[in-house]
Amino acid sequence: MTLQSIGLSTGGRDRAPEWEHYLKGDPALLNSELGDILDRDAVRLDIRTDDQVAYEALHHPDPMVREQSLYQAMDRRLPEAIDLIAESIATDENREVRWNALWALEKIGGPRALQIIERHVNDDDADVGEWAQLFSSELRTGLPAFDNRSFAWDSDRTFDETILLNIHCDVYVALDETGRNWGKISLAPQGLARSYGQAHACPNTDTRNQKLIISKTLSGLHEDGTPHTENFVFRGLTNHANAGRGSFYFESRGLRPIFLSGRADDDSLGHRNEMVAAKRSGEWTLDPRIQIRGESAIRYVRGRVHTWGYVNFDTMAGSSLEEVLFPGNSILGTLDTPTGPLANAFIVGTFKGKLVDWDGDDKVNVNSLDIYSTLDGDVDSDQDGVADIPGVQFCPRTNWMN
């Protein structure tokens, strides 16, 4: 496959990047982040025109596509991107589109973006307002700020907290085996959740400094409507030098199937069971007003994630956004196993998650979300704290273990 065969151009990328100024700093530090380098070189694989992106950001019936279009406008640096995002925040009926649009403004930064964000601090939706307050405070001080709502907590749940993570990922796909041609798919939070699954951070107060379960559920993959589940056990260390905040670095490595089709639970081309790894680092902020088992709850978490994936690009080239972002398309991968050569996508992203009022009672819900995991990350489809199959962290419906 070549760029020309799918209608894309290298766009003059054969030039070596110019070093802006010798006082900029040590290239070993400044020029060693693979995602930053690929972002300069990769062609964008969203085939829509700028006019299509702008129109669908406000008018497409699917909130995932609207949100994806806003992030695409930001990635393309369209002149009207801030105006599109501002109108979306003011008019969209989907609260997740609205708060992820606020996040897009924070990513853009600058006085105008800050001004728009601060218009919504007192929004009718308390969580949209709190996100605006949080982003405003981060832009001004680097630290988040929260409102004073009360909270609801259930002592019978497996996890002390269940925090939905908004993840913005850039997926850089090797388009051939030369290493010279890369494509970029920028996934807004709902686009990532639609295709890869919605991730939740699930800490318990007694183990959160060294261990964390990330539980991922994917809707729309199984014909009977049950969620597809993948759980990841992350382990690492947390630094508490700053009062009320924890800076962490965690890694996960777990056995799961790599489907040769490139689609979750699609065993039509067979699979290999491999150890798949991921890394996450960042910072969480405690709220002393929310006490759980004698400890302050994590009110907010932010950070970065790195991992590898396998994208069956031959089935995606020339497809529309809706045809590409369907449940289960593309899977996580690994480098150091027999299936390592299949890994053709470098995935780097940022994540943010906070406690949200999910049931509309004006109280933030600390652990109300349904999480299909045991304390050890095994799949627990009835949420009774007991593993469906001990040691299995990936939905076994395709009978991949055999």
Side-chain angles (χ1 to χ4, degrees), residues 217-228:
T217 55
L218 182 60
S219 300
L221 189 64
H222 299 155
E223 292 183 359
D224 63 3
T226 57
H228 173 85

Side-chain angles (χ1 to χ4, degrees), residues 95 99 121 123-134 145-152 287-291 299 354-366:
R95 66 196 308 232
W99 68 51
V121 168
D123 196 271
D124 290 341
D125 184 315
D127 280 297
V128 172
E130 186 176 56
W131 276 116
Q133 179 183 359
L134 188 155
F146 312 107
D147 61 28
N148 295 314
R149 283 176 293 171
S150 59
F151 68 95
D287 187 343
R289 294 178 301 106
I290 304 178
Q291 291 292 309
R299 183 71 182 261
K354 73 173 185 68
L355 299 181
V356 168
D357 172 13
W358 293 111
D359 56 14
D361 64 356
D362 294 325
K363 297 179 181 179
V364 294
N365 297 112
V366 179

Side-chain angles (χ1 to χ4, degrees), residues 169-322:
C169 270
D170 292 324
V171 182
Y172 297 100
V173 185
L175 300 179
D176 55 35
E177 296 180 356
T178 69
R180 292 176 57 83
N181 298 310
W182 292 77
K184 178 183 179 182
I185 306 169
S186 186
L187 293 176
Q190 292 194 66
L192 182 73
R194 177 77 60 88
S195 55
Y196 275 90
Q198 177 60 63
H200 306 84
C202 307
N204 274 6
T205 55
D206 58 342
T207 57
R208 65 191 182 191
N209 289 334
Q210 296 86 28
K211 178 183 176 182
L212 176 73
I213 302 298
I214 297 292
S215 183
K216 190 174 73 162
T217 55
L218 182 60
S219 300
L221 189 64
H222 299 155
E223 292 183 359
D224 63 3
T226 57
H228 173 85
T229 302
E230 301 179 36
N231 300 321
F232 301 80
V233 181
F234 279 84
R235 291 185 172 89
L237 294 173
T238 304
N239 167 45
H240 290 281
N242 296 313
R245 303 198 302 277
S247 299
F248 59 84
Y249 184 92
F250 280 34
E251 294 185 354
S252 175
R253 187 171 176 83
L255 182 68
R256 59 199 62 240
I258 295 179
F259 295 101
L260 303 187
S261 64
R263 298 180 181 180
D265 256 16
D266 179 355
D267 207 19
S268 59
L269 299 179
H271 69 274
R272 289 189 62 94
N273 297 334
E274 306 283 14
M275 298 296 288
V276 173
K279 300 177 182 179
R280 68 193 303 270
S281 58
E283 180 182 68
W284 40 252
T285 302
L286 300 176
D287 187 343
R289 294 178 301 106
I290 304 178
Q291 291 292 309
I292 302 173
R293 308 188 196 279
E295 298 285 346
S296 298
I298 297 173
R299 183 71 182 261
Y300 172 60
V301 62
R302 64 188 181 190
R304 301 195 73 180
V305 62
H306 293 79
T307 189
W308 291 90
Y310 167 41
V311 176
N312 191 339
F313 188 72
D314 289 336
T315 66
M316 297 168 57
S319 299
S320 68
L321 186 65
E322 295 93 329

